[in-house]
Amino acid sequence: MRSQFENACAFTEELLQENESLRRRVAEGMRQRAGHEGGTPGGGAENLRERIRELEKERDALQGRFRELEEMNRSFSSRCREIESQHNQLANLYVASYQLHSTLNFREIVDTLKEILINLVGAEAFALFWVDERSDRLRTEACQGAGDLIRSEIRFKGGPLEGAVRRGESYYADPLPPRDRIEPARPIACIPLRIGDRVIGVVAIYRLLEQKNRFTSSDFELFTLLAGHAATALFASRLFEQSEEKLNNLQGFINMLTASTG
């Protein structure tokens, strides 16, 4: 019991000391406040309001600067994406041009052209036609994704094909027609393959891949490349094969004459 009484007395004494300490702190705070208000009547509140106004101005300036930086960042990011897209486009054009001129085998160039149309343009159905000037028709050299709709030879009277062959005009449909129809005489894109002013062939696209709903600026760059580089590569390879055939025939004739005279 005595121990409990002593503990209670000690606790009560601590409470009294703490209460006195708090009373002194309150009194000191009141004296300081009275001194401020008495030395500069209304000055403390006015200074505080002025400081608040200054801080609000700084805040508004910082927010405005932050918005400017955000806009600059968005513009910079957009420009970076544009430059990256241009770099990719240039790389694709370089690779495509290199592949077209890396061989003199006609079929290999045709296969390269098909890969370009599928992987870079996103074409699902297309055909490569060779202009047969004697019959005034187009001869099919390659066909992809159109089944039996594209015959070995087709007429090009009227429509985009005639514009490509007769006048060297490119054609692009915008918007694209429904995907469920393929008309051999009416492609959605038509690119003449030209050597100078002479059109030697035509690339006709009939359908794009499902995830692609229109032609883009990079497609037009590729079409421009195909119009020149693909035409040159195909024409050179065809001449090379013809010269090789003639050389082989000539060599066989010489061998036959040599054998007969021997």
Side-chain angles (χ1 to χ4, degrees), residues 208-221:
L208 297 179
L209 295 174
E210 188 172 359
Q211 62 269 25
K212 187 167 183 174
N213 55 15
R214 64 177 303 173
F215 293 106
T216 64
S217 58
S218 60
D219 295 330
F220 300 140
E221 293 291 338

Side-chain angles (χ1 to χ4, degrees), residues 24-219:
R24 287 195 299 268
R25 291 181 183 179
V26 170
E28 181 67 23
M30 292 180 66
R31 284 195 299 270
Q32 290 179 356
R33 180 178 179 182
H36 286 301
E37 293 179 350
T40 54
E46 183 61 31
N47 290 338
L48 182 60
R49 285 192 291 269
E50 181 64 26
R51 182 56 179 163
I52 290 174
R53 286 192 291 269
E54 292 176 358
L55 291 174
E56 287 177 343
K57 290 180 180 179
E58 292 180 6
R59 180 202 62 192
D60 294 340
L62 289 173
Q63 287 179 345
R65 181 58 178 164
F66 179 73
R67 286 191 292 269
E68 291 178 3
L69 291 175
E70 277 190 328
E71 183 63 29
M72 291 174 61
N73 185 54
R74 284 193 293 268
S75 177
F76 181 75
S77 299
S78 176
R79 182 58 179 163
C80 285
R81 289 192 295 270
E82 181 181 348
I83 292 175
E84 183 179 1
S85 176
Q86 291 176 354
H87 286 174
N88 291 335
Q89 180 178 335
L90 289 174
N92 289 336
L93 290 174
Y94 172 79
V95 171
S97 175
Y98 175 81
Q99 290 177 336
L100 288 171
H101 295 287
S102 63
T103 180
L104 284 173
N105 185 289
F106 184 82
R107 299 317 309 178
E108 289 181 2
I109 295 175
V110 171
D111 290 341
T112 297
L113 181 57
K114 292 170 65 176
E115 291 180 4
I116 292 173
L117 292 172
I118 295 172
N119 298 324
L120 298 184
V121 177
E124 181 181 15
F126 57 86
L128 168 63
F129 300 112
W130 197 262
V131 177
D132 190 340
E133 297 175 348
R134 294 173 297 179
S135 63
D136 208 26
R137 293 187 178 185
L138 293 174
R139 186 173 68 252
T140 305
E141 292 290 346
C143 183
Q144 178 80 23
D148 298 330
L149 295 174
I150 309 298
R151 299 178 180 178
S152 60
E153 289 186 348
I154 66 172
R155 297 183 180 274
F156 53 84
K157 289 184 178 180
L161 291 176
E162 183 176 12
V165 176
R166 299 294 190 195
R167 298 180 295 276
E169 297 175 349
S170 297
Y171 169 79
Y172 314 104
D174 189 18
L176 298 180
R179 289 177 48 84
D180 57 349
R181 295 183 59 187
I182 291 181
E183 298 183 25
R186 295 192 174 276
I188 62 173
C190 200
I191 304 100
L193 304 180
R194 303 174 59 172
I195 301 293
D197 294 331
R198 179 185 175 189
V199 177
I200 64 168
V202 177
V203 172
I205 299 176
Y206 294 98
R207 181 186 294 159
L208 297 179
L209 295 174
E210 188 172 359
Q211 62 269 25
K212 187 167 183 174
N213 55 15
R214 64 177 303 173
F215 293 106
T216 64
S217 58
S218 60
D219 295 330

